[in-house]
Amino acid sequence: AIRESGVAREDLFLITKLWPRDYGSLTTRQAFEGSLQRLGVDYLDMFMMHWPECPSSCPDRQKVLDTTWRQLELLYDEGLCRAIGVSNYEVPDLEPLLESCSVVPHANQVECHPYHFPRDLLAFCDQHGIQFQGYSPLGKGKLIRDPEVLRVAHSCGRTPAQVLVRWSIQNNVVAIPKSTKKYRVKENSQVFDFKLSAEDMESLNRLHRGLKYVQRCGIQQKIDSDLPDGYKLQLPNAHDQRLSVKNAASCETWCELQDTLSTYSLNAHCGLGPSRGFVCVRVGSLGSRVDEERSQLRDLV
């Protein structure tokens, strides 16, 4: 798609993120190289750690986060990405990272809109030279119907979406609005030829109520349970035998297969080496297949 667009690569700024299940010394680079291949490019403009969380089975969360960040630093040193950053990091997450890192994150991408305006985090990032990026500047579309946003939009002759993006910019936040509609993408970009008054900025700032649409607690559950379709486990001492979990997305419930796993166990997947762990497998109307897979695991180990 990039090649077919006719836009020069240097005119694009490509950002992608590393999902927590790929955190670790080996899997970070593998995931990065996979992103390059899928995008059809030989470098990224920014590579980010998606969440300051790991699978719950990892015994040392901070060690995994530090190890992963070190891998991003190496990718940056090698020129494979022009900048590195984090996403959804709060002040308590940034503090230990800043104590151990060699490269300070170039950016922190978090949810930011008038209903959720984390001033303390914004000030902390500014103090340490971390660019603050705000996703969901329209509050998942909820804020474009807010009476105060509508009032400001009417008073300055702009759309509610333009007012919200402009609000982010005037608060020194890099806004990242999302749309699949060409006319909305164009609308969201037409925000540099006007300014909101100090009074309008203050009225929008007062909408803050700490309301987030992306909840961290829900993300942890997803990290722990979301196996991609076709995920495979390499079992110890059985190099020629693999347990394939196919069509995971079409299944309905979860079961746990308890046993010792090799480098594809949840702990080893975080770069901590072989250990006892579990793998969650989506099962629905598979019937006896669940018991069969339990038996296969135990026979192989």
Side-chain angles (χ1 to χ4, degrees), residues 159-177:
T159 67
Q162 289 172 329
V163 165
L164 291 165
V165 173
R166 185 67 205 180
W167 172 85
S168 291
I169 293 171
Q170 289 184 219
N171 276 313
N172 297 319
V173 175
V174 175
I176 308 176

Side-chain angles (χ1 to χ4, degrees), residues 7-176:
V7 179
R9 172 65 184 91
E10 57 269 22
D11 293 333
L12 298 173
F13 194 94
L14 296 181
I15 302 176
T16 193
K17 297 174 184 174
L18 180 69
W19 185 242
R21 294 186 70 84
D22 289 318
Y23 288 179
S25 57
L26 297 177
T27 47
T28 293
R29 183 172 289 268
Q30 292 170 353
F32 176 82
E33 292 172 349
S35 292
L36 291 184
Q37 183 178 15
R38 288 188 294 274
L39 289 167
V41 297
D42 55 11
Y43 73 93
L44 290 175
D45 295 285
M46 183 174 289
F47 193 43
M48 290 180 150
M49 293 176 63
H50 205 147
W51 284 91
E53 301 293 350
C54 304
S56 297
S57 60
C58 293
D60 191 335
R61 168 181 168 273
Q62 193 58 52
K63 180 179 179 181
V64 173
L65 296 177
D66 291 345
T67 297
T68 302
W69 182 253
R70 179 55 185 154
Q71 295 305 308
L72 265 66
E73 291 178 331
L74 292 174
L75 292 170
Y76 174 70
D77 289 342
E78 294 170 26
L80 293 173
C81 47
R82 304 289 178 84
I84 52 178
V86 293
S87 183
N88 300 297
Y89 271 55
E90 299 175 4
V91 173
D93 304 308
L94 289 169
E95 288 174 332
L97 173 58
L98 293 176
E99 290 177 1
S100 62
C101 69
S102 298
V103 179
V104 174
H106 297 106
N108 182 21
Q109 188 180 120
V110 301
E111 182 176 347
C112 183
H113 44 73
Y115 285 178
H116 178 69
F117 184 30
R119 294 173 184 263
D120 291 346
L121 178 58
L122 178 60
F124 184 90
C125 289
D126 184 62
Q127 176 186 352
H128 293 278
I130 302 171
Q131 177 63 61
F132 193 97
Q133 295 181 349
Y135 66 76
S136 297
L138 312 186
K140 299 289 186 180
K142 304 294 193 301
L143 272 80
I144 62 175
R145 294 183 291 273
D146 182 272
E148 187 59 22
V149 174
L150 290 170
R151 183 197 66 78
V152 174
H154 179 74
S155 68
C156 62
R158 296 288 175 157
T159 67
Q162 289 172 329
V163 165
L164 291 165
V165 173
R166 185 67 205 180
W167 172 85
S168 291
I169 293 171
Q170 289 184 219
N171 276 313
N172 297 319
V173 175
V174 175
I176 308 176

Side-chain angles (χ1 to χ4, degrees), residues 19 58 154 178-179 219 291 301:
W19 185 242
C58 293
H154 179 74
K178 174 186 175 182
S179 180
I219 294 299
D291 293 331
V301 299

